[in-house]
Each structure stands twice: as structure tokens, then as C-alpha cells.
Amino acid sequence: MSKLNQQVLKLLSKHEFISGQKMAEALSISRTAVWKAVQNLKEDGYTVKSVASKGYKLIGASNELNETLLTSMIKDSKLFSEVIYRDTVDSTQKIAFQKITDIKKPFIVVAGEQTGGRGRFNREWTSPEKSGLYMSAVFKPDIYLNEIIKFNLFLSLAIANAIEETFDLDAGIKWPNDIYIDGKKVCGFLTEVVSENNVIQNIICGIGINLYETEEITALETATSIENEMKKNGRMNSDTESFLTRLIHELEQQYHQFMNTPFSSIKEEWMAKSIIFGKEMRISEMNRTFLAKPVDITDEGFLLAVDRYGETHKIISADIEF
Ligand code: BTN
């Protein structure tokens, strides 16, 4: 959305009532331009009331995301420089990859729907409109390639914390890349990198969160949505705006921790949220599948799991199932 619309939105949110004339003067534009900007905001889903002799009043923020709103979410960010929003994309990962050379600082891509959303192992990630949050966050760390395993641990904590803090729901981390609520998957993320000579320049982290219930989610025994979990507690979903604001804040905080402290600094908190320890799991690595109980995680981020013969396995990357 245009800069002018952003400025008008800012004025509206600062005042209980503000007249078209005042906004026109503040922004050195005509009253017609103000009126047009207000119409644009309404089209974006904002509720703006106009009251005779008082002026305009912003009643409700849009529950739909748009570039103006997203840009205002990172205005105080020390990390993210830019947000790109598209109503429809193939995949936010694709857009992020296309922009990594042009945009020199960390940035975020969000979409209303994805037509070619993908998950880990190139699985399809169904992404219809008005049902999920589809986002790619790009970080520019300059770290060694082997650090990426640790990055995932910090990232999973950021997402789990954002869900808990916003919705007051118990979010559990299922190593390596899922977030669960009450035994079902509510979020998955994937981490891709661009590296040279063993050094990572860009981490492109794609996050998909089921915010609203869809037929597909209901049909899946293993998946849930924030809406569904809130309803179980007799509560209503869901403030997408507060959630995304919180998520961006948590991503920023955990990324800072990741860059400056070892995993041991968050290990206790991470273990407390993890849902896989002490249970027998089916662990599928690249070329073998076996049953074992995860017992610990090393400072480098390797999972340690003990099989029924007492043998300990050190796992770097795997798909694990209950
Ligand atoms: C998984 O559980 O397999 C990870 C799913 C990641 C999905 C997100 S949605 C936003 C971003 N764009 C994509 O195409 N995929 C990720």
C-alpha cells in the first residue's frame, strides 16, 4: 500500500477523531486525496467511521493483513528492514529467494494465500486464503553451516512462545520443525540456506501456521488450528495482528540469543516445551527408520535417542513420529 495511505492510517490511529482538513494540512495534500486514502483503507478492511463536524474515527483494525499493517509492525525492529506482502503467491519462499540479493538486511515476506506452498521434504503445504499465516523470514547471519541445527532450536522456541503469549495455549515443540497443541500439529517451519565456502549468508525460514479451521485440517487426525484449540476452551479466535506482532518480536529476540549465546542459555526452557522426550518415537533418517526414545539434546543441537537395545543414536536430521 502507498506511503500516503500509511500516513493517513498513522494519523487516524493517533487521534480519536481527526477531520479531513486537519489530515490534509498535516500531510500537505488535498482533502480529496485524504478522502481517497480513507477509501483505500476501507478496501483493505479497516473500519473508518465519519462523523459530521468531528471528522474520521478509526474503529477497527483490519483482521486481514496488508503491507501497511505489516510495515507498522516492524517500525521499531532492530532486525527486520522490510516487509513484502502479496495477496497471492506461489510460495513466500520463492519470493524471499528472489529478493535476497536486492535486500541487504533481514526482511519478511507474508502472503494471504499460496498456490504452491511447500513443506519439508518438498511435501505440499496447502495454503488457502483466510486460513493460515504463510510467512518467510530472511536472516543474514554469516555463520558456519553447522550452526543451522542450533538455529532451528531457537526458532522453534520463538514460535511456541508467540503462540502461548498471544493465545494462552500450551504450545509444544516437536523436534526438529513442528509446533503441536494438544497432540496435533498447528505449525511447521522449514529452514533453507544460501551459503558459500561453508558460511551461511542467508537463512530463509518458511513458517506456516494453521490459524483457522478448514475442512482439510478437520479431516486430518494429526492436525489442528488455533481456532479449533481456542474453541475447545470456549474462546474465540483470533487476533492475527497481535499474533504476528508477537511472532516478529519473538523471532527477533531468539535470533539475537542465537547469534550471541550458546544453546545452553535456552536449553532448560526449550526442554520444558519439548514434547518428544521419554516417549518411543519412529525416527526416519535419510536411509533408515528405527524406534528409539529421545533422551537429550546436545549443545550443538543433535538429538540423542536410545533404542530398545540400549544403543544411543546421535541424530542430526530426521522425521520423527509418535
Ligand atoms: C513443514 O511442516 O513441512 C514446513 C511447512 C512450512 C510451510 C511454510 S508456509 C510459508 C512458507 N512458504 C512455503 O512454501 N512454505 C513455508
Side-chain angles (χ1 to χ4, degrees), residues 141-152 191-204 258-259 300-302 316-317:
D142 271 333
I143 50 164
Y144 286 114
L145 206 46
N146 60 3
E147 297 273 300
I148 198 65
I149 307 167
K150 243 171 44 190
F151 172 86
N152 276 352
T191 316
E192 298 178 296
V193 300
V194 176
S195 65
E196 213 179 284
N197 300 329
N198 228 15
V199 173
I200 300 176
Q201 277 99 33
N202 290 280
I203 301 176
I204 301 96
F258 162 68
M259 291 298 282
E300 299 80 39
F302 300 134
I316 302 174
S317 163

Side-chain angles (χ1 to χ4, degrees), residues 90-94 109 114 116-121 123-125 127 133-136 177-178 185 187-190 205-209:
D90 174 341
S91 155
T92 54
Q93 290 294 95
K94 259 199 186 163
V109 183
Q114 299 185 116
R118 57 194 169 80
R120 293 174 74 219
F121 310 111
R123 290 175 190 139
E124 183 190 2
W125 186 264
S127 319
L133 176 67
Y134 317 116
M135 153 175 178
S136 296
N177 289 58
D178 295 335
K185 178 165 168 170
C187 162
F189 63 93
L190 59 87
C205 181
I207 304 170
I209 300 176

Side-chain angles (χ1 to χ4, degrees), residues 296-310:
D296 200 4
I297 190 129
T298 68
D299 282 350
E300 299 80 39
F302 300 134
L303 188 69
L304 300 180
V306 178
D307 68 21
R308 66 183 66 175
Y309 309 105

